[in-house]
Amino acid sequence: MVKCCSAIGCASRCLPNSKLKGLTFHVFPTDENVKRKWVLAMKRLDVNAAGIWEPKKGDVLCSRHFKKTDFDRSAPNIKLKPGVIPSIFDSPSHLQEKREKLHCRKNFTLKTLPVTDHNHQLVGASSCTEEFQSQFIFEHSYSVMDSPKKLKHKLDHVISELEDTKKSLRNVLDREKRFQKSLRKTIRELKDECLISQETANRLEAFCWECCQ
């Protein structure tokens, strides 16, 4: 499975030729404190969980989000220096607009998720969340749902268009059947009047059949 960068708006994918292009991918630190700093630096929230986005096993960040000085290039395999924090993130314009709208809502509140220290003990996350709340970008914020009324209106519109399309299709099929029937009647009349031969009549019948399929 191809790994993708976890940063919002980044389309980097870990492909066989990525290293040739100078692009490397790095898993999140195992140290809980450093990992939390990575997550906060990303400014990414999960609207489904109503809190800070949490990386899963195998999630990665690409080298585009780190400074050149963050890398240890002394070995053949490029590595990050211990304790470095990603600092280069560009917010897509459509997400920036959503963020501004959410920030302007008077009653908008952010629920916090529990945060653990290096001993996996629960600690308060309110201070960290308040510090970065105005800068966070929601994961999938572009997919925030419309109100039920708007969704119902959209659904009714789609159903109406579907019914119109079905009606148009039935009309086309009916016209095709009438055309086929009229064409065959004309062929029989020409044959009865001896204006065409039986062979010609058979060819026209075959042609009529092929055209109406």
Side-chain angles (χ1 to χ4, degrees):
M1 182 178 179
V2 178
K3 291 184 178 181
C4 301
C5 181
S6 298
I8 290 293
C10 183
S12 298
R13 303 173 67 192
C14 186
L15 301 174
N17 62 343
S18 294
K19 286 187 177 180
L20 296 178
K21 296 180 179 180
L23 190 62
T24 56
F25 292 80
H26 307 273
V27 297
F28 283 74
T30 55
D31 183 280
E32 290 296 328
N33 289 328
V34 179
K35 180 168 71 173
R36 184 173 65 177
K37 290 179 181 179
W38 277 39
V39 173
L40 293 176
M42 292 172 65
K43 303 179 179 65
R44 174 175 173 176
L45 293 181
D46 186 349
V47 294
N48 296 321
I52 301 173
W53 174 80
E54 290 289 339
K56 300 180 180 61
K57 183 179 180 180
D59 284 344
V60 294
L61 277 182
C62 74
S63 53
R64 290 174 176 169
H65 307 291
F66 297 87
K67 299 176 182 177
K68 292 183 178 180
T69 54
D70 292 338
F71 295 94
D72 180 0
R73 304 178 185 275
S74 60
N77 292 328
I78 300 176
K79 297 180 179 180
L80 289 171
K81 295 178 180 178
V84 298
I85 310 299
S87 57
I88 304 173
F89 296 98
D90 294 323
S91 302
S93 58
H94 69 284
L95 291 182
Q96 287 280 14
E97 293 174 0
K98 281 287 185 181
R99 184 180 66 181
E100 291 173 2
K101 290 180 180 179
L102 289 171
H103 182 66
C104 292
R105 286 168 54 181
K106 294 181 179 180
N107 297 324
F108 173 70
T109 56
L110 173 64
K111 296 180 181 179
T112 60
L113 291 179
V115 179
T116 58
D117 59 16
H118 65 281
N119 293 322
H120 301 284
Q121 299 294 320
L122 291 176
V123 296
S126 58
S127 59
C128 295
T129 304
E130 290 171 359
E131 178 182 356
F132 290 90
Q133 179 175 351
S134 61
Q135 304 177 32
F136 272 116
I137 300 173
F138 276 110
E139 177 187 17
H140 304 314
S141 61
Y142 52 83
S143 63
V144 174
M145 294 183 64
D146 292 327
S147 66
K149 186 176 180 179
K150 288 185 178 180
L151 290 175
K152 180 64 166 56
H153 177 72
K154 289 181 179 180
L155 178 60
D156 290 341
H157 180 68
V158 172
I159 292 176
S160 177
E161 287 188 339
L162 179 60
E163 291 298 327
D164 290 341
T165 303
K166 287 182 178 179
K167 185 177 180 180
S168 298
L169 179 59
R170 285 195 297 267
N171 291 336
V172 170
L173 293 176
D174 289 341
R175 286 197 299 269
E176 183 180 333
K177 289 180 180 179
R178 289 195 298 270
F179 169 75
Q180 186 179 24
K181 184 178 180 180
S182 176
L183 185 57
R184 286 180 174 175
K185 181 182 179 182
T186 302
I187 294 172
R188 286 196 301 269
E189 290 176 350
L190 291 173
K191 178 178 172 295
D192 293 342
E193 295 293 334
C194 297
L195 297 175
I196 59 174
S197 65
Q198 180 64 49
E199 182 181 358
T200 302
N202 291 340
R203 289 182 178 180
L204 289 174
E205 285 278 359
F207 175 76
C208 174
W209 177 260
E210 290 177 0
C211 288
C212 296
Q213 291 302 306

